[in-house]
Amino acid sequence: EMNRITTERLDIERKLRHALTRNELTLCFQPQFGAQSAQPTGVEALVRWLHPTDGLIAPDRFIPVAEETGIIVEIGEWVLLTACREMKRWIDAGLKPIRMAVNVSARQLRRRDFCETVAGVLVESGLPAELLEIEITESSVMENPEEAIVILQRLGRMGVTLAIDDFGTGYSSLAYLKLFPIDHLKIDRSFVADIEHDLNDRAIALGTIALAHSLGLNVIAEGVETEDQLELLRSNGCDEVQGYLFSKPLNSAAAFAFLHARHPAE
């Protein structure tokens, strides 16, 4: 079993090294909505790998390998630039401006030139800084909180908005949370999934909303799939939502059509 896992991992690593140059990676986009208004507020860019012989390779199979090997830095830069270019293209084609949220790994965040990379992407794509939201997991900022604060402050000064992803699933220090210059907390889908039936999950989700609001932050709940989940979150002041109840992740053309139908520019 160990041999099989190692062989598969090496196989993925080998193929992943060519994925970018061979244009095998693509982005899809999951819309985010105001919980009260149901108006689109942003989209989250999600990377997908379509291998010519293996077909669609799930992110949970290749992202950990990309992180371990450092390939994630190259992939991350490609995702950032491609996502920003897409949003600029959509706006130019008549979409009312909304946020583009892009996930950033711990490895990317630790690079000394990360802020310069983001600045370069904004210049190259022509996307206004306030329309880019960078999502980071709480565990990645807690690896070196002091360093993370400096990086996040620099990004904040550039006008980029910042979100803590998967909140409540990793190790987090509330003492540091109040120091991070962030705009959004994202409630992980694992807490939303059983919010209707599991009182503990409900307490965590609603507690997160209260905590975030007391710190002056907005809250996005991920993985919203039912009307009951939406109603519970909405009635407890959750600001934004994303999930299959509204839309699955869509390719670029479908995402533009979906968003433009609901959110055309004046």
Side-chain angles (χ1 to χ4, degrees):
E1 176 67 8
M2 284 169 66
N3 186 47
R4 186 191 63 77
I5 290 167
T6 305
T7 305
E8 184 184 273
R9 190 196 167 288
L10 288 169
D11 183 52
I12 283 180
E13 183 183 336
R14 181 175 56 79
K15 290 171 179 167
L16 195 54
R17 291 192 183 279
H18 303 293
L20 264 178
T21 52
R22 293 175 181 168
N23 292 321
E24 294 168 8
L25 296 184
T26 184
L27 290 185
C28 55
F29 304 91
Q30 187 168 35
Q32 301 168 330
F33 299 84
Q36 306 297 333
S37 68
Q39 280 294 304
T41 52
V43 290
E44 180 180 2
L46 302 161
V47 67
R48 297 289 182 261
W49 181 11
L50 190 60
H51 190 270
T53 52
D54 296 356
L56 194 65
I57 300 175
D60 58 7
R61 281 181 66 205
F62 74 86
I63 295 292
V65 176
E67 297 239 3
E68 286 168 35
T69 55
I71 303 171
I72 195 71
V73 173
E74 198 183 345
I75 291 174
E77 287 181 12
W78 176 84
V79 169
L80 194 60
L81 180 58
T82 307
C84 289
R85 279 176 172 163
E86 283 299 270
M87 181 53 75
K88 180 66 168 72
R89 203 168 59 78
W90 294 349
I91 292 168
D92 291 346
L95 182 70
K96 194 173 175 181
I98 55 175
R99 284 190 324 264
M100 173 62 75
V102 179
N103 293 281
V104 166
S105 75
R107 269 188 186 257
Q108 286 173 275
L109 199 63
R110 283 201 304 266
R111 287 178 66 89
R112 292 184 185 280
D113 62 351
F114 179 65
C115 293
E116 286 75 13
T117 299
V118 173
V121 160
L122 291 171
V123 169
E124 194 173 332
S125 65
L127 188 73
E130 63 273 13
L131 295 183
L132 173 61
E133 177 156 275
I134 286 178
E135 291 190 6
I136 39 186
T137 61
E138 58 180 334
S139 45
S140 69
V141 289
M142 290 311 298
E143 280 182 15
N144 189 336
E146 285 83 4
E147 191 179 62
I149 288 169
V150 174
I151 294 166
L152 298 181
Q153 284 173 339
R154 284 185 65 193
L155 291 168
R157 283 196 295 272
M158 285 161 55
V160 171
T161 57
L162 302 159
I164 296 281
D165 197 12
D166 302 343
F167 184 75
T169 60
Y171 164 76
S172 148
S173 161
L174 296 182
Y176 277 111
L177 185 62
K178 69 178 184 182
L179 299 176
F180 292 140
I182 52 176
D183 305 280
H184 282 105
L185 280 190
K186 294 193 81 175
I187 302 176
D188 187 67
R189 65 185 62 250
S190 61
F191 299 123
V192 174
D194 289 324
I195 195 173
E196 302 142 285
H197 317 293
D198 188 312
L199 294 179
N200 290 332
D201 280 350
R202 188 182 303 183
I204 290 169
L206 304 188
T208 300
I209 294 169
L211 171 69
H213 286 170
S214 68
L215 291 169
L217 307 175
N218 277 11
V219 184
I220 303 178
E222 293 184 295
V224 179
E225 296 185 359
T226 70
E227 288 286 352
D228 286 348
Q229 290 169 349
L230 174 63
E231 189 45 46
L232 264 171
L233 291 162
R234 184 191 277 153
S235 62
N236 283 277
C238 186
D239 302 287
E240 295 175 47
V241 285
Q242 75 182 85
Y244 276 42
L245 179 62
F246 303 93
S247 171
K248 64 181 191 295
L250 304 164
N251 67 31
S252 180
F256 174 76
F258 177 91
L259 292 163
H260 191 262
R262 288 158 179 77
H263 209 55
E266 273 76 29

